[in-house]
Amino acid sequence: VLGGRRIPPVAAMVCNFPKPTAESPALLTHRDVETFFHEFGHVMHQLCSTVELEMFAGTRVERDFVEAPSQMLENWCWKPEALARMSRHHETGEPIPDELLNALLASRTANAGILNMRQIVLATFDQRIHSVGEADTAAVLAEVTAELMRIPATPGTNMA
């Protein structure tokens, strides 16, 4: 607010999506569309901000909330109704076939278990190395990975 008047925020979204060619239009993968909606959530967060102090506008909020608007928007890319409205064959105009739509929706959770287990490994690793004075991080990570994932860590690697 300046002089009693609200100053509208400005936002820009710069993306690196496929370009069209002479033979084909720019076609987006589902991941591209999800990314677009996610990033557009950040834009909307900025544009909808109404704050007394500029330093708290848009994405300059607490870390645990900054992704909330983006994740809400990207969830639309997984709704059958939304996909039916935004997805068409670029040549025939046919809607996305049910079989393909169902496969896409099922793919969303395909690796959920292993990804969640990885987070548990990383949290356990973090607790172990920070509860001792010194730690061989490669050895601790290998131990935690083998213990929880039941998969040996790749020898000679240390992501810590």
Side-chain angles (χ1 to χ4, degrees):
V1 179
L2 182 64
R5 252 183 51 229
R6 180 174 185 266
I7 301 170
V10 176
M13 186 169 85
V14 180
C15 300
N16 188 20
F17 293 131
K19 294 180 177 16
T21 66
E23 300 80 39
S24 137
L27 301 174
L28 300 181
T29 65
H30 182 264
R31 182 72 182 128
D32 290 338
V33 173
E34 186 179 28
T35 298
F36 177 86
F37 273 71
H38 178 95
E39 298 308 329
F40 190 68
H42 290 303
V43 169
M44 291 305 297
H45 192 178
Q46 182 68 33
L47 295 178
C48 294
S49 289
T50 55
V51 295
E52 291 292 319
L53 300 172
E54 174 191 341
M55 62 189 270
F56 299 117
T59 57
R60 288 174 280 180
V61 295
E62 293 295 331
R63 281 275 175 220
D64 61 349
F65 183 75
V66 73
E67 294 297 325
S70 296
Q71 290 176 359
M72 286 186 263
L73 259 66
E74 77 182 45
N75 276 330
W76 287 349
C77 298
W78 292 99
K79 299 291 182 194
E81 306 81 23
L83 287 167
R85 291 186 68 165
M86 69 174 96
S87 302
R88 294 271 182 262
H89 191 280
H90 77 282
E91 291 174 337
T92 67
E94 292 291 314
I96 188 168
D98 287 342
E99 185 178 313
L100 182 58
L101 178 61
N102 292 334
L104 175 66
L105 296 174
S107 76
R108 186 175 193 190
T109 57
N111 292 314
I114 194 119
L115 294 173
N116 285 325
M117 183 54 80
R118 180 177 181 275
Q119 290 303 114
I120 293 169
V121 165
L122 294 174
T124 304
F125 166 76
D126 187 61
Q127 291 296 312
R128 287 196 186 165
I129 66 168
H130 289 97
S131 58
V132 294
E134 278 188 36
D136 177 350
T137 57
V140 173
L141 183 60
E143 176 186 310
V144 170
T145 301
E147 177 186 329
L148 297 176
M149 301 280 287
R150 310 243 188 242
I151 302 169
T154 305
T157 63
N158 183 8
M159 57 154 250

